Every structure is written in structure tokens, then in C-alpha cells.
Amino acid sequence: MIAERGLAGLKTRDLAREIGCANGAVYNLVTDVDELILRVGSRTLLRLDEALSAAEQAGERSPQETLVRIALTYCDFAAENLELWRALFEHRMEVDKALPDWSVNDQMQLFRHIYQPLTALFPKRSPEELGITARSLFSAVHGMVALGLEQKLVAVPLPALRKEIAALVRAMIDGLVARAA
Amino acid sequence: MIAERGLAGLKTRDLAREIGCANGAVYNLVTDVDELILRVGSRTLLRLDEALSAAEQAGERSPQETLVRIALTYCDFAAENLELWRALFEHRMEVDKALPDWSVNDQMQLFRHIYQPLTALFPKRSPEELGITARSLFSAVHGMVALGLEQKLVAVPLPALRKEIAALVRAMIDGLVARAA
DNA sequence: CAGCGAACTTGAACATCGTTCAAGAAATAT
DNA sequence: ATATTTCTTGAACGATGTTCAAGTTCGCTG
């Protein structure tokens, strides 16, 4: 239902009807809609992880082109799974309630894919520094995808967005390498 | 109320009590909560615009450092106006309802600040190309700020985030300039 | 198979929202 | 002073997440 109608289109009563039970029975499977959303997010992250893993392996081995490939795969995944991908970031818990451990763990895994190629590019940097660089790079690409796929402003055609992402990732890496030297 | 309790903390009844009228009377000022949120967003964008304008003028005139200053100002603004800034991006209209014109107009203005320094760096590029580059750069910085200020993952200390943003903006520009040459 | 307890299921009920609207109050025009 | 327009009120409606007492089913044991 999230995939079809977005986070806001997920209603417990509709869900209950779809799976064939009373609305109250949903709460035997899940304590909250929050948990439900996080569980869906977990699956989405798993599929995203698989896509990024494939991108990491396939194609040219050069670290730079691997990173470009990963960024484009992220873009494609977001475009093809728009609502599910949005749900990962749109959802906010109430302030007091903490994320369950399994959910927190999920999210850390994403930077892993970027980490590997970065070690090849920056052999001098410490693991902590590399982790920070990885997160920065990921965040920058995420921003381009997020605003690029937003309907609110003028919608950017996907091929143009991909081109921009590839260009900026190459530029970022060029720049980082040049400054590290 | 958005500033204090976030978008989800905005309730028409609380709002009516605060401004001293019946809850129904809110709809004389505004047709929707959607419109209310957009109007608040308009004010936020105006203040953001002022902050970015100041950053554009002040300090070193070099285009590169101007862009770094603008990026850091954006980061600071988001941190200091966290909930209001989030409201700009969290809010989604129903699919059928269109944004009013005054709201669409607001959003375009942001890239303006980046555009100017970019023309100095890339005199060969066409206005359309520059516009695209401007949006890419903005989106990348936006992503770093968005994920950096997210409480969901490990919260990044603000000084570290600023350092990362400055480093990546410089790297992006270095890289773009090098590839343009 | 009968009986018992645990687990599940149901759907009504509750609280909280945004939104509407008839009825009354206030302001303004004649 | 009266009529007309405008504003204000707060009850009511429909959605929605969540809870819960009552009913139902299931699995085990004698």
C-alpha cells in the first residue's frame, strides 16, 4: 500500500480489508503503524542494499567509476521505488519513542558500499575519516536524488538527473583526491 | 507552533486557542492547513533568502569562498531554524491539489545566490547549464545538511558537519573547474 | 471425544484530528 | 432605527489510530 499510495495512503482499515481481517487484528502482527512502517523500511533497505552490492561488483573496477555506478544505482532505485524510498526518509517517530535496534542497524549498512572504493582512493585516511567522507558523499548524492525526484519543483527528467549525478560524483572525487595529494 | 513542536505539532484547535478565537475562525484567515503551512514556508524562505544574500555579499569575494560561505550559511540556518526548515521539505500536498503560484515562485529564488558565483567560475557555460549546475550544487549541500541534522541516525556534531560541508564544496568546485578546463 | 485454557479475532467504542455549517452576534450601511 | 452584510461560534461530521471486552477457534490432555 505504501508503494502504491505513499506513506499517507497507508490506512489500518484498508490494510485490514486487504489482508482479510478486522482492523483490530493488525495489532497482533505489529504494535504500531510506526513499527509497520519501519518493517517495510527494513525490506526496502535490504533490496537497496542488494542493488548497491550488485553495482559495486559489476563493471569497471576503478574506484572512481565504481562510485559513480553506485550513485547511479541509488538514483535508479529511488526512481523505481519512489514511494517506498520516500517512506524511508519521510517517516518521523514521536520524539520520545526510540528506534528499535534492528532498525538502527539497517541504516548503517548503506555507507558500507561507498567505504570500500574510498579506501582505494585515500589509503592515507583513517577508518573514522573514511567513514565521514563516505557519509558526506552519500548525503550529497542523496540530496541530488531527493530534490531531483521531487515533483514539487519542476520535475527533472531522469536521464538529465543521472548525467548530473555522474558529473558531480566525478568532480567531487577529483577534487577530494587533488586536495588529499 | 511549527517552530516549537514541528509540523506534526500544529493543531488547528491549539492554534485557535493561542490566537484567541474559535477553531472554526481559523478558516477565515486561511482555506486550509495546507495554505497555512505554505504561508509559514514562504516566510521561512524569505528569511533564508536574506541570510544567503548576506553571505553572498560579506567576506572574501572569490567565487569559491563565496560558495563555501553560502553553503555554511544554509547549514547554520537549517540548524537554527530546524523545525521551520524541515517543514519546507516534509510537507506534501495531496496529489491532485496544485501549489499556488506565490508558493512556487518562492522556491525558485534560492538557486539565485549560487548562480552568481558560478558564472564567474564557468564563463563558458550557458545560462541553462549554469542553472542545472546551481541546482546540483544546492541539492548536494542540502543532502549533507538534511542527513547531517537528522536525529534518526547518529547525530553529527554541528562543527564537524560544517567542516565536512566546506571540504566537499571546495572539492566539488575544484573538480568541476578542472573538468571544465 | 470431551473439556479446558490459551491464543486469536472481531467490531464497537474512544480520542484526536481537519473541516463544515447553521445559528447567533457584531458591524456597517441605509 | 432598521436592514444587510460580515464575522464568530461551537457543535457536529467523517477519518483515523488504537484499545478492549466479548466471542471464537485452536491445541492439548485425560
Side-chain angles (χ1 to χ4, degrees), chain B residues 54-118:
Chain B
E56 202 181 338
Q57 309 302 330
E60 245 183 274
R61 312 296 299 162
S62 108
Q64 172 150 347
E65 286 313 305
T66 301
L67 287 170
V68 170
R69 216 161 48 235
I70 291 174
L72 290 177
T73 302
Y74 183 73
C75 175
D76 292 343
F77 183 91
E80 288 162 18
N81 303 271
L82 189 55
E83 293 297 345
L84 287 171
W85 172 76
R86 277 183 180 163
L88 294 176
F89 301 96
E90 277 182 14
H91 178 59
R92 306 207 85 82
M93 304 269 288
E94 295 123 68
V95 274
D96 57 344
K97 211 166 29 166
L99 279 181
D101 294 346
W102 52 265
S103 180
V104 178
N105 232 344
D106 280 344
Q107 320 199 10
M108 301 304 180
Q109 302 299 324
L110 279 188
F111 304 141
R112 207 182 73 229
H113 302 282
I114 313 187
Y115 193 89
Q116 187 89 332
L118 279 183

Side-chain angles (χ1 to χ4, degrees), chain A residues 145-170:
Chain A
V145 175
L147 295 193
L149 296 182
E150 189 104 12
Q151 307 282 343
K152 208 186 286 185
L153 303 175
V154 190
V156 188
L158 189 60
L161 181 59
R162 296 180 96 251
K163 221 176 105 184
E164 273 301 297
I165 289 174
L168 206 63
V169 168
R170 292 199 182 95

Side-chain angles (χ1 to χ4, degrees), chain B:
Chain B
M1 292 183 59
I2 294 175
E4 283 170 15
R5 289 188 281 278
L7 250 196
L10 172 65
K11 307 292 152 72
T12 56
R13 283 173 178 77
D14 295 351
L15 180 62
R17 189 163 350 105
E18 189 144 334
I19 65 183
C21 67
N23 65 58
V26 170
Y27 294 85
N28 294 334
L29 312 171
V30 118
T31 77
D32 248 354
V33 279
D34 276 341
E35 185 192 333
L36 178 56
I37 292 171
L38 290 177
R39 296 223 114 99
V40 172
S42 199
R43 292 195 192 183
T44 307
L45 282 172
L46 185 68
R47 292 197 302 121
L48 173 55
D49 206 70
E50 288 169 1
L52 295 183
S53 290
E56 202 181 338
Q57 309 302 330
E60 245 183 274
R61 312 296 299 162
S62 108
Q64 172 150 347
E65 286 313 305
T66 301
L67 287 170
V68 170
R69 216 161 48 235
I70 291 174
L72 290 177
T73 302
Y74 183 73
C75 175
D76 292 343
F77 183 91
E80 288 162 18
N81 303 271
L82 189 55
E83 293 297 345
L84 287 171
W85 172 76
R86 277 183 180 163
L88 294 176
F89 301 96
E90 277 182 14
H91 178 59
R92 306 207 85 82
M93 304 269 288
E94 295 123 68
V95 274
D96 57 344
K97 211 166 29 166
L99 279 181
D101 294 346
W102 52 265
S103 180
V104 178
N105 232 344
D106 280 344
Q107 320 199 10
M108 301 304 180
Q109 302 299 324
L110 279 188
F111 304 141
R112 207 182 73 229
H113 302 282
I114 313 187
Y115 193 89
Q116 187 89 332
L118 279 183
T119 59
L121 285 170
F122 306 103
K124 295 283 193 55
R125 296 200 183 183
S126 71
E128 296 82 39
E129 288 176 310
L130 282 172
I132 293 175
T133 307
R135 212 202 35 233
S136 297
L137 226 58
F138 176 85
S139 302
V141 172
H142 171 79
M144 294 186 69
V145 174
L147 295 192
L149 295 182
E150 189 105 12
Q151 308 282 343
K152 208 187 284 186
L153 304 175
V154 189
V156 188
L158 189 60
L161 180 59
R162 297 179 95 251
K163 222 176 105 186
E164 274 300 298
I165 289 173
L168 206 62
V169 169
R170 291 198 182 96
M172 282 191 285
I173 295 169
D174 284 356
L176 287 175
V177 169
R179 284 192 171 258

Side-chain angles (χ1 to χ4, degrees), chain A residues 55-67 69 170:
Chain A
E56 201 180 340
Q57 310 301 329
E60 246 183 273
R61 312 297 299 161
S62 110
Q64 171 151 347
E65 286 313 304
T66 302
L67 287 171
R69 215 160 49 234
R170 292 199 182 95

